[in-house]
Amino acid sequence: MGVDLREKVKKYIKANYGKFSVLDVSEKFGVSPKDVEEYIIDDLPKEMEEEQGKGMPASGPLQSTIPGWINKTLIALVLLAIATLIIALTISQLSNNDLWQHLKNGQMILQTKRFQYADPYSCNAAGTPWINEAWFSGVIFYIIYLIVGVNGIIYLKTLCILMMTGLVLLACHKLKTEFILFVPLTVFMIFNVGVRFLARTEMFSYCFISAYLLIIMLYKYRRSSKNILYLLPILQIFWSNMHGSFIVGLIILAVFTGCETIRLLVNRYITFWQKDLMTWRRLKPLYIIFLLTLLACLINPYGARLLLQPFHITMRNKEYIKTIYEWQSPFESPTFRGSYAFKYYVIWMFLLGAAFIANLKRTDLSNLILSAIFFIMAAKMHRNITIFTIATCPVIALNFQQAGSDFLHFEDRKLKDILKSFGMIIIIGIMIPLIMISFKHGYIYRKNSSKPFGLGVASNMPIMATEYIKANHIKGCCFNSYTYGTYLIFHCFPDVRVTMDSRAEHVYGEEFYRRHQRALYDVNVFEQIMDEFGIEFILLKYQDGDLARHCEYLNRTGDWALVYFDDSCFLYIRRLDEYKELIARDELKYIHPLLTMEQSKIRMDDLDDYIREGERILGITPKYPFPHMILLNLYGAKGDWPKVVEHGEFLISNRYGNYSTFMLMGSAYIYLNKPERAKDMYQKALEKQPGSKEALRALEILRMPSNT
């Protein structure tokens, strides 16, 4: 368009904004819709900005009296505080069982130089077709494990969360939102998603989602070159081989392209009123990129089957999914509803809604639809709250920025900079105690429950039991707890094969998963599985169910021997010839973690055997209260009062003391000629059981003149 025609079009647009379509302007001035579109969307905003700049006083706005280095220092301190907070929240022990499966997968791929297409790990589902969609993550995990050890995985998790947060901060910055607006929002995002700061393959997805959104926002709002879009198919190749949520990348791109197309058509043929539009010239590459990204998903060991895998799992295992904690709705899971994470999630939903309402006149269709999709995903499964929060953080910041731009606009640059600096100081002041609390307690789930700062493997894994299995060459098929399967696979395969692990929806299927769960409550089903799969040893944690009946059954058959237990699990092995020496050495005949030991039935001839077993268990888990309680009573029966005091003091100092403990301790101190300590013990026994005749009688005797 010529200069004169541009001026005419500009005047018409200013006078009739919101009352015309691109087609109307095209017909009125005899210009092609494409030229009108490009002028209105690309050139006109620049011309109007230049006109506004020319109308400003020559001296410009008042300059800030705050030196630039102060603002830069404050920004650096804020970013350092965010990074430190992330370190405090993410350096925690490895507690998720999925990790060990991926480590073993990576090890197998590197050693055999082959991909896995069927299950090799189980004794009941071996050979079942299996798509290992996170194979490349497993390779990365295992390489880091070889170089640094298990703590390397923790550092990698921290790095991923730092990268994710950095990309979100960069997206908010590129959207030209105020620093003091998006920084507090990002800090709250960290706490909102912190419940999922786990060493799992999904941590890579957090980075990919953040990168996708940053690239798309740069292209849309900052008019970046279309070349930046070609990063998306490259990222998708990696994502498709690292985590099953790679499908989210396609959803983001498809929704964005579709919504921008709708906006363009509405403004071309109905009415032109929206800002931040794309011309057809800039929209066209998105179709090509989407096609390339879709094709990129096929670059994997499983081809097109991988694309269908997420839908196959969710459609085939609907009932199974309901039983898995992380796949439950945040509104239907009592455990999640009782956590602080649920409160953060509710607040975040209100923030998102308020942001769109506040900016209703400028609502962006792409941002609205994407936010709605992620909201629905999070409402269905609380594991998706993380991606919902990450994806909507820049959207909330943008909406609040646009909504507040009219009444938070400062012509006085000095006042604006002072307020910014003061805001950053407040942010730093708030973050310091948050960081201190996080280093002390880690991520707090709920009152008296947190994921503390630390390294290594968490105690919810069968660490010592697995070491015992390896050291004593226990092999064969294991009936194991659901959460123990992957740990056994990593440390004991191929000598050990499991009956269940965290790939229930991939390998075992819903039917056998339910059967395995029933076996933990029904001894008959348990017995059937023992016989059907030739189980050679059993490793179960106490929380799995009412397992005392299972232990009674195992003891009654005479085919099984209890050889190990600690504070979290117990181990039975079948009486086979290869285990004769092991059973003769380690069988626990007298003390059992689940079956009641009736003290009245203990023969004095067997007392030393009871004590020997108790001391052995205590050697395995010194902080486990159970052997201390057993030994307290055994040494009491033997009359070894110093030993009674030793175990009793441990129980009392760790708040495990009960009525019987205090009564026995009272007797011990009497025999050790410490009447004052004995009085204290009997008094505490009375606190535990008010009105106890035995405690009152003992105190009465101790208060007699002859005993003072």
Side-chain angles (χ1 to χ4, degrees), residues 207-220:
C207 296
F208 285 120
I209 291 169
S210 304
Y212 257 65
L213 292 169
L214 173 63
I215 290 169
I216 287 172
M217 287 178 174
L218 284 174
Y219 186 69
K220 176 179 179 177

Side-chain angles (χ1 to χ4, degrees), residues 175-190:
L175 290 173
K176 295 186 177 180
T177 57
E178 293 291 348
F179 189 78
I180 58 172
L181 169 64
F182 69 75
V183 164
L185 191 64
T186 305
V187 172
F188 184 49
M189 176 200 77
I190 292 168

Side-chain angles (χ1 to χ4, degrees), residues 327-330 345 375-382 384:
W327 292 48
Q328 295 170 355
S329 166
Y345 167 56
F375 169 78
I376 293 168
M377 290 171 63
K380 285 184 173 293
M381 298 177 187
H382 66 78
N384 292 330

Side-chain angles (χ1 to χ4, degrees), residues 447-467:
K447 189 176 180 180
N448 300 323
S449 177
S450 65
K451 182 170 57 178
F453 181 85
L455 296 170
V457 181
S459 59
N460 65 326
M461 292 292 106
I463 302 169
M464 291 180 292
T466 303
E467 289 176 359

Side-chain angles (χ1 to χ4, degrees), residues 92-233:
S92 57
Q93 291 185 322
L94 300 172
S95 60
N96 185 263
N97 54 297
D98 285 349
L99 168 68
W100 309 102
Q101 176 76 58
H102 297 300
L103 278 169
K104 175 56 73 172
N105 295 340
Q107 180 188 27
M108 294 280 286
I109 291 170
L110 289 172
Q111 288 179 351
T112 64
K113 296 180 176 55
R114 293 179 181 177
F115 295 112
Q116 298 159 309
Y117 296 95
D119 168 57
Y121 304 123
S122 70
C123 56
N124 52 309
T128 301
W130 170 44
I131 294 177
N132 178 15
E133 75 272 11
W135 70 270
F136 190 54
S137 295
V139 169
I140 293 172
F141 281 155
Y142 189 67
I143 291 172
I144 291 173
Y145 174 81
L146 285 177
I147 298 171
V148 188
V150 292
N151 290 336
I153 309 296
I154 299 173
Y155 302 142
L156 177 64
K157 174 184 66 173
T158 300
L159 181 62
C160 284
I161 304 305
L162 284 169
M163 187 181 298
M164 172 206 81
T165 307
L167 290 169
V168 171
L169 286 169
L170 184 58
C172 293
H173 172 68
K174 291 298 183 181
L175 290 173
K176 295 186 177 180
T177 57
E178 293 291 348
F179 189 78
I180 58 172
L181 169 64
F182 69 75
V183 164
L185 191 64
T186 305
V187 172
F188 184 49
M189 176 200 77
I190 292 168
F191 281 96
N192 198 4
V193 304
V195 71
R196 299 293 297 178
F197 286 169
L198 303 170
R200 301 177 59 166
T201 55
E202 69 183 63
M203 67 189 190
F204 297 117
S205 285
Y206 304 157
C207 296
F208 285 120
I209 291 169
S210 304
Y212 257 65
L213 292 169
L214 173 63
I215 290 169
I216 287 172
M217 287 178 174
L218 284 174
Y219 186 69
K220 176 179 179 177
Y221 293 103
R222 299 303 297 269
R223 300 291 194 267
S224 296
S225 166
K226 67 178 181 181
N227 292 335
I228 195 172
L229 294 176
Y230 288 100
L231 289 173
L232 296 178

Side-chain angles (χ1 to χ4, degrees), residues 80-92 158 162 438-439 453:
L80 178 62
I82 292 174
T84 306
L85 178 66
I86 290 171
I87 290 170
L89 293 173
T90 57
I91 299 292
S92 57
T158 300
L162 284 169
S438 298
F439 271 115
F453 181 85

Side-chain angles (χ1 to χ4, degrees), residues 464 564-568 613-631 646-654 656:
M464 291 180 292
Y564 174 95
F565 73 84
D566 57 32
D567 56 345
S568 60
E613 289 189 1
E615 291 288 1
R616 180 190 156 207
I617 298 304
L618 185 63
I620 295 171
T621 53
K623 295 182 180 180
Y624 183 23
F626 177 76
H628 285 282
M629 292 177 182
I630 295 294
L631 289 168
E646 177 187 333
H647 295 290
E649 290 294 353
F650 171 86
L651 293 169
I652 293 168
S653 63
N654 288 279
Y656 293 116

Side-chain angles (χ1 to χ4, degrees), residues 7 56 118 124 157 209 257 276 314 333 335 345 364 374 492 500 576 634 638 665 667 669:
E7 286 299 318
M56 293 180 66
N124 52 309
K157 174 184 66 173
I209 291 169
T257 305
D276 299 315
T314 52
S333 170
T335 304
Y345 167 56
D364 186 294
F374 286 121
C492 302
M500 179 56 62
L576 302 174
L634 292 173
K638 192 175 181 180
M665 286 287 284
S667 299
Y669 279 120

